């Protein structure tokens, strides 16, 4: 006789239908209270956290966006880095960064302490803009122009890492932002920046903090 076989038709042996122990009730109460605290923090952080991105958003078309990128490259191009154009747009200008499988174009050369409107858009699929080693993250969507007001506050050679899986070359999708002390000389070649692979010490480079700290508008 297989009397111990559990068929699912009868209740298994156990104590789970008995009243909960008082200690267990206390834990449920604590867990629920903490859930409420976290729930309240979401709207609180929205209003008080100072983390909302600043800037503008608008619709665009990949072809139209790429045209803006190419115009900027023609106007402010200062060289190339492994085939990717380097642009040094003047402070206060609109800067266009395009994401595509599997690269970021162009390389941006910005001046420390100067404000720019950094436009992000994708030419194909969803990519993720993560500025290493700084904690700045934005989704980059096709057809959507995300214009962020940014003020780099530390010089350095930064990497843009794609943080949305976008295909077989996702892990190779690395871009570059060079921040130089202002005023940058027009003749400064790309070589003036630190060599690739030597970004600032993680955790001590608050450049682009304005990205995250700007007020929503
Ligand atoms: Cu682009 Cu992952």
């Amino acid at each position: 006789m297989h009397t111990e076989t559990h068929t699912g038709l009868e209740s298994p042996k156990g104590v789970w239908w008995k009243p909960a122990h008082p200690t267990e009730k206390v834990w449920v109460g604590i867990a629920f209270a903490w859930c409420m605290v976290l729930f309240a923090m979401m709207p609180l952080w929205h209003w008080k956290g100072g983390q909302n991105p600043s800037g503008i958003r608008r619709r665009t078309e990949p072809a139209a966006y790429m045209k803006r990128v190419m115009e900027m490259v023609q106007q402010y191009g200062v060289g190339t880095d492994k085939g990717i154009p380097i642009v040094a747009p003047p402070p206060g200008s609109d800067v266009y960064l395009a994401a595509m499988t599997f690269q970021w174009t162009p390389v941006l050369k910005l001046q420390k302490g100067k404000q720019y409107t950094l436009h992000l858009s994708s030419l194909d699929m969803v990519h993720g803009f993560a500025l290493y080693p700084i904690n700045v993250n934005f989704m980059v969507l096709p057809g959507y122009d995300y214009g962020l007001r940014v003020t780099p506050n530390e010089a350095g050679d930064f990497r843009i890492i794609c943080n949305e899986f976008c295909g077989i070359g996702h892990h190779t999708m690395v871009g570059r932002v060079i921040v130089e002390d202002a005023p940058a000389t027009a003749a400064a070649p790309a070589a003036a920046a630190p060599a690739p692979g030597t970004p600032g010490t993680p955790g001590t480079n608050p450049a682009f903090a304005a990205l995250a700290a700007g007020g929503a508008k």
Side-chain angles (χ1 to χ4, degrees), residues 13 29 31 37 58 69 87 91 99 102 117 127 135 155 201 203 205-206 208 216:
K13 286 177 184 173
V37 170
R58 62 177 166 230
V69 172
V87 296
F102 299 100
T117 303
H127 298 279
N135 186 20
T201 312
N205 255 322
F208 281 79

Side-chain angles (χ1 to χ4, degrees), residues 127 162 164-166 170 173:
H127 298 279
C162 181
E164 291 283 344
F165 183 73
C166 53
H170 161 70
M173 189 167 164

